[in-house]
Structure formats: C-alpha cells, structure tokens
Amino acid sequence: LIGLTFDVRRYGTVGSTNDIARELADAGVREGTLVLAREQTRGRGRHGRQWRSPAGNFYGSLILRPDRPLAEAASLSLVIALAALEACQSLTRRELDLTLKWPNDLMFRGGKIAGILLEAAAGQDARPAWVLAGLGVNLASYPEDLPYPATSLAEQGVAADPERFLEAYLAALGRRLPEWQTDGFAPFRSTWLAHAAGLGQLARLRVGDEIRTGKLADLADDGSILLENPMGCLERFTAGELFFSDLEPHGPSSPT
Ligand code: BTN
C-alpha cells in the first residue's frame, strides 16, 4: 500500500466485479489491481441485497493486501468511502453537498449516491490475505423504486462517465490508502467526522436482529461509532446499519 500503483482491468458485462476480483485475488494478482465493469448482471450490495447495475454508472472492485491487522479492515472501508467522496467532489468546482453515512455510504443531500461492499480473507499473522473493496457510484442513474432515497451525480448536475470518475478515484486512493497503511484510521477521524451525515441526530442502528436507538454522538479512533442512549450512556458499535428518520422521508419509519 505504500507506493501503491494501480492495474486497471476493464470488462464489459460481468456478474459482479467483486466475484471477478476474488478469483484474481485467489490467483495471486498484486494489490492495486482494480476490476472495472461496464455493467453487472448480479451486482451485490451489503446485507445480501442486490445492486442494480446498468451501464453508465461506476462499478469497480479494488484488490488490496494491506499490512495491517484484519480487524482493521472495516476502518479501511471508511477511508475508501472518503476517497469516493473526494473523487466526486473533484469532478466539479462547485461545492457539493456530499456526506458520509456510517459505515461507508456516500450521500448527496440525503439521497444515497454510492455504496461499498468490502470482503476480506484471512491470511497469516492476523493479516488479511486480501481485501476487496467494491464500489458502486450512481453517476448517470439510480433505481427509482428503492426503499430509501437515492440520487445520481447526473441528477445533481454533475456530468461524469465511469472513466472520468475512475481517474479521480484512483488519485484520491493513491493519496489516502498509504496514509491509512502507515497510521491506521485515527488520523482520518476528524476529516471523516467533518463529512459525517447525521452527527448529533437521533439514529437507529440495526445490528443483526436487534435495533438500538441513540444520538449519533461520535466516531472512535478505530472507526466504530458511538451512540448516546436515552440514559446518556455512550455505546460503541463496530458494525450495523444506520437509519436516520430525516434521511428517509419517503421510506419506512423503521427498518424492515
Ligand atoms: C451497498 O451500499 O450496499 C454496497 C454496494 C456495492 C456495489 C458495488 S458495485 C461494484 C461491486 N460489485 C458488486 O457486486 N458490488 C460492488
């Protein structure tokens, strides 16, 4: 990850770029390999959801072999979400109202514009053998019938094709990933918080089958979030799915 360079492999129609990246990673390709596809027929989202993937949007999976503990892989995905935000921002001189929704969604004025699917395999010495960061960005379009609000860069007046986004994304990753490799997530905390969606707001967090409610209070140095429960106590979570009522004006009032 230090002195990281990229090897972009371009595909037309694929099932999922994460699946191709996994095969390549298992076959031993070097880190920095990025699988880019024009469209996906079996795009996957987090929590077992599908990610509809028509041509025009960005679908890319990056293979990394970080020399940090596997347990830190989750914080890597927060850094990748930040790089995606910086890439979108660099496409225009206009200040874009982009925010990061923990753990790794990119939002534009309350609508989801990008998501990350991180997959990792254990290697030696508690290090990952590989980490795959699949990123999908709604550049041109987004599904209209999602249970949450979504948007695209095009709808927000920013024109970008996948190649242009790729260039901006690789530039941001080339800056950010070596920083994370050297010092971990802690130095990113304040930058991440400066872009955080819903800080100070009441949120619901789904962890497995359980729902926890609290005010989104803070982010810890390892990238986990702190919710302040109604008793005023802080609770720390390393994983889960967040819901803000005012981020979901059209959605269900509770996660289903
Ligand atoms: C989410 O927010 O649920 C994550 C969406 C991740 C979608 C990307 S598109 C490229 C890569 N290939 C996949 O099948 N999924 C990820």
Side-chain angles (χ1 to χ4, degrees):
L1 269 173
I2 299 198
L4 179 67
T5 57
F6 298 102
D7 172 12
V8 179
R9 309 219 178 164
R10 291 176 171 78
Y11 293 76
T13 304
V14 303
S16 159
T17 54
N18 265 39
D19 294 344
I20 294 179
R22 175 188 290 252
E23 283 166 24
L24 292 173
D26 281 336
V29 298
R30 73 169 178 86
E31 81 165 341
T33 303
L34 188 141
V35 175
L36 181 74
R38 192 167 163 273
E39 63 183 342
Q40 302 183 116
T41 53
R42 301 163 77 98
R44 292 188 278 119
R46 294 177 72 221
H47 311 290
R49 300 197 182 107
Q50 72 166 165
W51 186 263
R52 267 171 283 161
S53 309
N57 293 335
F58 178 87
Y59 312 107
S61 297
L62 176 67
I63 298 168
L64 296 170
R65 302 186 186 276
D67 186 17
R68 292 196 73 87
L70 182 60
E72 289 186 30
S75 80
L76 175 59
S77 72
L78 304 195
V79 172
I80 289 172
L82 177 65
L85 181 150
E86 291 173 333
C88 289
Q89 182 57 70
S90 75
L91 295 171
T92 170
R93 277 195 220 146
R94 197 155 52 85
E95 181 76 21
L96 300 178
D97 185 9
L98 292 163
T99 53
L100 296 168
K101 178 172 169 273
W102 188 88
N104 47 30
D105 286 355
L106 184 55
M107 314 294 290
F108 200 131
R109 296 200 188 119
K112 179 159 165 168
I113 207 154
I116 291 169
L117 182 65
L118 197 88
E119 297 179 295
Q124 311 254 299
D125 304 328
R127 297 307 201 235
W130 46 253
V131 175
L132 308 177
L135 171 71
V137 188
N138 301 333
L139 299 175
S141 68
Y142 60 91
E144 304 268 345
D145 54 352
L146 294 169
Y148 53 83
T151 186
S152 66
L153 278 183
E155 186 173 66
Q156 302 293 338
V158 181
D161 60 33
E163 287 293 334
R164 188 153 171 249
F165 177 81
L166 174 71
E167 196 184 322
Y169 181 48
L170 295 185
L173 290 172
R175 277 193 307 273
R176 293 311 200 172
L177 293 177
E179 289 172 18
W180 176 85
Q181 173 63 59
T182 308
D183 296 317
F185 185 73
F188 287 94
R189 179 178 161 265
S190 59
T191 309
W192 206 96
L193 277 170
H195 294 290
L199 204 60
Q201 281 179 30
L202 202 58
R204 277 164 292 124
L205 183 74
R206 178 164 58 190
V207 188
D209 289 340
E210 250 191 84
I211 306 281
R212 312 302 286 258
T213 307
K215 203 172 75 178
L216 180 56
D218 205 350
L219 189 72
D221 269 351
D222 66 352
S224 49
I225 47 160
L226 298 165
L227 290 189
E228 186 181 320
N229 71 20
M231 319 292 285
C233 294
L234 289 180
E235 288 187 293
R236 207 173 103 160
F237 299 91
T238 54
E241 189 177 11
L242 262 187
F243 300 85
F244 302 111
S245 41
D246 64 346
L247 281 180
E248 301 186 336
H250 319 293
S253 58
S254 53
T256 47

